[in-house]
DNA sequence: GCCGTTTTCGGCCCGACTGTTTTCAGTCG
């Protein structure tokens, strides 16, 4: 936004909302540019800058909290900006933060942030991302040597100008140099399935050591996040008893996949493996394994709130134990269940631990029974050799049967996707006959439904005739082309498509999985609301490389009463079982069986699909 | 700057590791 302003784009007031005039004369809501994520980023950056500036740490914390709140809320902050009461209703947003949010919504920027940026420059924010580099060191480098960017730091190191500064020994300087190299090479997160594979390899190695009994991945991997920053592995067994960890630590440090060692202590070994994934292996005595598992699973926000609760009850919670404040005696430590129980709470799945109300719910014994993979009865989006799949209808049915599904729907592409050999009306009708025959041949072991994934054309029409669509059990409408449309045009297009009574499922509702292209922008809240009214379900494509909806999208869908259909969109029979990551996401969004359409038996699923008003 | 069964002031999560120290500050998760 700032950049746009600097580029002197013509801006005008239009219907009470700022709009930017594009070159072609088309206008775009400024709202589309200041989304919640941007709000969160601006607040978090302000917190970073305040820290460098040496501001009050509690004040800084409230900026961080507000940033988290902005990231997680389902309220569209830019839209709610003129309603102060709505902003104040969000936990962590008070009078000051509400004013900041309003300032961002109106101007795209935050005066305090601008002020600090003018003082230190934007480069300090990047400096903070270097490992071992915190606000105090950034402030030191700035005060002592006017270093404000990564490039300037690299230059200063090369020129030997860091020597002699406080806390800047040879090792520290080397560490910074290496950090710069790593940062320049790759700064990123890893997909959950990639991290999980690596965790499996390391666990297999560790379990060969006598005295290591179990290895549990914790952190964001256990919480089922889409991407993982680093890998936390908790290890326990007799070899992890206090003061006896030496041999086990040495064994961990000898893992052949280690690229370079970051740290090695009595109960922690950190290193990088291939592609720069950081792994933290922690060795813990069995008696405190539950406390450690709880602690390292997080999230941070969940843990902070949990510890506050512990304090109020006269306890203190650490990675070693839940203990009494007065005499330090252990109350619970060996299992997570014991710890949560001692705090008056029910145990909850790791996916729910994001401090989004689960603590209160667990304390009130009121946790929703969230959906799990075993609740999913069928998979209703898959392709066969008729379009761009690799297997026949029969092979897909057999593979689904092996996965334990009770039904599938065959949904090949329609004719508009010529490159996939999409079906025209004639071939679609022919395939219906084949699918019905296969359904009969399976003798009720698994139901095989007819279906198609039609393309939503630029004007919102579908690319197959309604008479053909009317004969399908499942019609998924997806956007596959024309990404140059504006937010309004894209929203209109999808709205029109789901008005078609034949459409049962909206596929790829955010365009997020359409790889190598920008996800398309549409007003998801508007679309979801209409879909809920119409009884159209929204697809959540669940393979890890293409998770369709993010957590916020899913929460929004639940809030607006729009049902979800989880699917694999398999093009290969081997991928039919890959809904495990999608299921984790559904749990993260607190979805129950009632929110997910394909948790029902075949008849209930079909009835649900047809429940259109 | 936020928040309140400790409510309009005075709190606000905790321990390990590292490197530079000679008792500890800073960073990280």
């Amino acid at each position: 936004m700032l950049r746009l302003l600097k580029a002197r784009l013509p801006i005008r007031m239009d219907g009470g909302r700022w709009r930017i005039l594009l070159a072609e004369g088309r206008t775009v809501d400024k709202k589309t540019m200041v989304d919640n994520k941007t709000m969160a980023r601006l607040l978090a950056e302000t917190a970073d800058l305040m820290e460098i500036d040496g501001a009050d740490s509690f004040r800084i914390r409230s900026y961080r909290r507000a940033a988290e709140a902005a990231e997680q809320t389902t309220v569209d902050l830019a839209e709610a900006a003129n309603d102060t009461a709505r902003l104040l209703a969000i936990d962590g947003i008070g009078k000051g933060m509400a004013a900041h949010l309003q300032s961002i919504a109106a101007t795209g920027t935050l005066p305090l942030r601008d002020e600090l940026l003018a003082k230190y420059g934007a480069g300090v924010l990047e400096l903070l991302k270097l490992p071992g580099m915190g606000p105090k060191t950034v402030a030191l480098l700035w005060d002592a040597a006017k270093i404000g960017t990564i490039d300037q730091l690299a230059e200063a190191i090369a020129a030997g100008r860091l020597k002699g500064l406080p806390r800047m020994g040879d090792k520290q300087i080397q560490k910074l140099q290496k950090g710069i190299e790593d940062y320049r090479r790759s700064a990123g997160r890893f997909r959950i399935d990639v991290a999980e594979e690596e965790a499996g390899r390391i666990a297999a190695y560790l379990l060969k050591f006598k005295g290591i009994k179990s290895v549990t991945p914790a952190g964001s991997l256990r919480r089922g996040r889409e991407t993982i920053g680093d890998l936390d592995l908790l290890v326990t067994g007799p070899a992890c008893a206090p003061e006896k960890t030496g041999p086990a630590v040495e064994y961990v440090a000898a893992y052949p996949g280690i690229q370079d060692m970051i740290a090695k202590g009595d109960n922690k070994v950190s290193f990088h493996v291939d592609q720069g994934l950081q792994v933290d292996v922690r060795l813990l005595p069995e008696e405190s394994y539950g406390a450690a598992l709880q602690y390292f699973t997080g999230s941070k926000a969940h843990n902070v709130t949990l510890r506050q609760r512990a304090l109020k009850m006269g306890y203190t919670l650490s990675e070693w134990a839940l203990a009494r404040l007065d005499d330090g005696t252990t109350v619970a430590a060996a299992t997570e269940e014991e710890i949560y129980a001692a705090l008056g709470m029910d145990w909850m799945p790791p996916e729910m631990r994001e401090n989004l109300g689960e603590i209160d719910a667990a304390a009130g014994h009121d946790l929703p029974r969230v959906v799990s993979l075993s609740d999913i009865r069928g998979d209703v989006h898959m392709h066969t050799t008729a379009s761009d799949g690799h297997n026949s209808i029969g092979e897909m049915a057999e593979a689904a049967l092996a996965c334990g599904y009770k039904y599938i729907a065959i949904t090949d592409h329609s004719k508009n996707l010529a490159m996939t050999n999409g079906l025209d009306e004639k071939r679609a009708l022919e395939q219906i006959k084949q699918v019905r025959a296969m359904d009969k041949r399976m003798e009720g072991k698994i139901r095989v439904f007819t279906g198609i994934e039609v393309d939503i054309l630029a004007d919102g029409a579908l690319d197959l005739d309604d008479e053909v669509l009317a004969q399908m059990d499942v019609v998924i409408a997806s956007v596959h082309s024309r990404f140059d449309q504006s937010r309004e045009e894209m929203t209109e297009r999808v709205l029109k498509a789901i008005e078609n009574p034949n459409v049962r499922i909206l596929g790829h509702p955010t365009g997020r999985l359409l790889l190598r292209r920008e996800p398309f922008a549409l007003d998801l809240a508007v679309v979801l609301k209409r879909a809920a009214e119409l009884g159209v379900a929204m697809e959540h494509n669940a393979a890890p490389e293409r998770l369709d909806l993010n957590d916020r999208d899913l929460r929004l869908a639940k809030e607006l009463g729009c049902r979800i259909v989880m699917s694999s969109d398999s093009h290969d029979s081997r991928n039919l079982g890959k809904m495990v990551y999608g299921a984790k996401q559904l749990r993260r969004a607190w979805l129950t069986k009632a929110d997910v359409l394909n948790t029902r038996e075949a008849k209930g699923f079909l009835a649900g699909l047809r429940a259109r008003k």
Side-chain angles (χ1 to χ4, degrees), chain A residues 121-140:
Chain A
V124 292
L125 293 171
E126 211 179 0
L127 273 178
L128 273 179
K129 290 178 186 161
L130 295 176
M133 179 74 80
K136 293 288 191 323
T137 314
V138 171
L140 170 80

Side-chain angles (χ1 to χ4, degrees), chain A residues 536-558:
Chain A
V536 170
M538 180 165 64
E539 179 181 21
H540 180 47
N541 207 292
E545 65 274 20
R546 43 159 77 169
L547 289 170
D548 220 348
L549 305 170
N550 62 27
D551 294 359
R552 183 180 179 272
D553 298 335
L554 286 166
R555 286 205 305 273
L556 190 61
K558 183 183 170 88

